[in-house]
Amino acid sequence: MSLLISFFSGLIFGLGLIVSGMTNPVKVIGFLDIFGQWDPSLAFVMMGAILVGFFAFRHTKKTHKTLLGETAHLPTGHQIDRPLLLGAALFGIGWGLAGYCPGPALGSLLSGGLKPFIFTASMIAGMMIFHRLHQS
Amino acid sequence: MSIDTVNFTPYASLAGGVMIGFAAAILILFSGRIAGISNILGGVVRFSETRQNQWRIFFLAGLILSPWVYGLFFALPDAKVELDNLGLVVAGLLVGYGTRLGSGCTSGHGVCGLSRLSVRSLAATLVFILTGIITVYLTHH
């Protein structure tokens, strides 16, 4: 049951990315290009997603349980520290260069030709480098 | 600043956003998990906690199959990548390393984090949008 939910969540997430325009890197760069011809569309993606997500997370924050009665895994970190800010800064640079963030890159593997493969392979390499360097 | 009225798609983007929010909502409500793509992918490519990874693999399968499912009903919209292949390698490394170091990306911090009113995620989201804007300014102007 839980695995089926995971699959459909991923599927609906990916369909939402396609409908919203997020799988088009040029459009994403148009959103970040506030000093040029700015395309504010992606702000509407965020608004739509948070509008729905807010109510779901409000419920989960209160109960700390799923609707099926199991423990919900909510993030526990509150600290705004150096790794958070440095990591976000590096991610933003890569996002601005390519117009891909992780979701749209994976959601373009079957439709976008070679380029999302190159990006995704390199992204996974970047993750593995992090894991290697930060293994305690 | 001028608005790009030709490419602006407020309704489609809002609708797509609602779908993304719905996907994140069912995952937290029924599975108790956060729809943060970099953390999901990062967990899988760590190859350690195999039982923990089952739900992640099912989520990624749905995400990866989404253009195929979309294509069964509609023509897929245009997607264009400006960057050359070497640039994509550099960008991918930055995104992969940065999202692990910063514990999340557009979905984990931007969608789920802001939905649960996390100040930590708000800080991360403001930073990656800011460095994204600066990067696009430097490469396009």
Side-chain angles (χ1 to χ4, degrees):
Chain A
M1 174 66 181
S2 179
L3 294 180
L4 213 60
I5 291 287
S6 298
F7 176 81
F8 279 106
S9 174
L11 180 63
I12 296 165
F13 199 103
L15 294 174
L17 289 174
I18 298 169
V19 170
S20 68
M22 293 248 356
T23 47
N24 185 359
V26 171
K27 190 170 180 67
V28 174
I29 288 172
F31 169 68
L32 294 172
D33 192 11
I34 61 169
F35 296 106
Q37 285 283 99
W38 186 46
D39 177 358
S41 303
L42 298 201
F44 285 71
V45 183
M46 297 276 282
M47 278 195 295
I50 293 168
L51 204 70
V52 180
F54 170 75
F55 293 100
F57 282 101
R58 193 175 63 167
H59 178 269
T60 309
K61 274 201 301 186
K62 250 185 248 162
T63 61
H64 287 269
K65 294 256 187 249
T66 69
L67 293 179
L68 308 173
E70 285 157 13
T71 308
H73 302 264
L74 285 169
T76 49
H78 295 289
Q79 249 186 328
I80 298 169
D81 49 13
R82 237 175 74 106
L84 178 84
L85 299 176
L86 183 61
L90 294 175
F91 161 49
I93 295 170
W95 190 37
L97 283 173
Y100 276 132
C101 51
L106 294 170
S108 300
L109 287 176
L110 293 186
S111 60
L114 184 63
K115 288 190 181 252
F117 268 97
I118 294 173
F119 179 87
T120 302
S122 180
M123 172 171 74
I124 290 172
M127 290 178 165
M128 293 171 98
I129 291 170
F130 175 84
H131 294 153
R132 182 61 61 87
L133 292 178
H134 291 79
Q135 255 167 10
S136 49
Chain B
M1 182 198 287
S2 57
I3 303 280
D4 181 352
T5 48
V6 179
N7 293 311
F8 185 35
T9 53
Y11 301 112
S13 289
L14 192 66
V18 166
M19 292 171 72
I20 292 167
F22 179 77
I26 62 169
L27 195 67
I28 192 70
L29 287 175
F30 291 97
S31 292
R33 300 288 181 178
I34 301 280
I37 312 298
S38 60
N39 285 311
I40 293 174
L41 182 64
V44 170
V45 301
R46 226 175 179 154
F47 305 111
S48 52
E49 351 152 349
T50 39
R51 249 196 91 67
Q52 283 282 309
N53 276 341
Q54 278 185 339
W55 76 271
R56 295 192 176 110
I57 290 164
F58 274 72
F59 182 94
L60 292 178
L63 174 59
I64 290 168
L65 285 174
S66 64
W68 178 76
V69 172
Y70 186 95
L72 294 177
F73 301 97
F74 312 101
L76 281 160
D78 285 335
K80 196 169 175 297
V81 182
E82 290 174 330
L83 202 60
D84 60 23
N85 292 345
L86 182 65
L88 285 171
V89 170
V90 174
L93 286 172
L94 286 167
V95 169
Y97 188 89
T99 53
R100 294 312 284 151
L101 182 63
S103 316
C105 58
T106 345
S107 51
H109 284 311
V111 172
C112 296
L114 295 189
S115 288
R116 59 187 180 84
L117 311 177
S118 157
V119 180
R120 178 176 149 88
S121 286
L122 176 64
T125 304
L126 290 176
V127 168
F128 66 66
I129 288 182
L130 183 71
T131 58
I133 287 172
I134 293 169
T135 303
V136 170
Y137 179 77
L138 293 176
T139 51
H140 287 71
H141 297 286

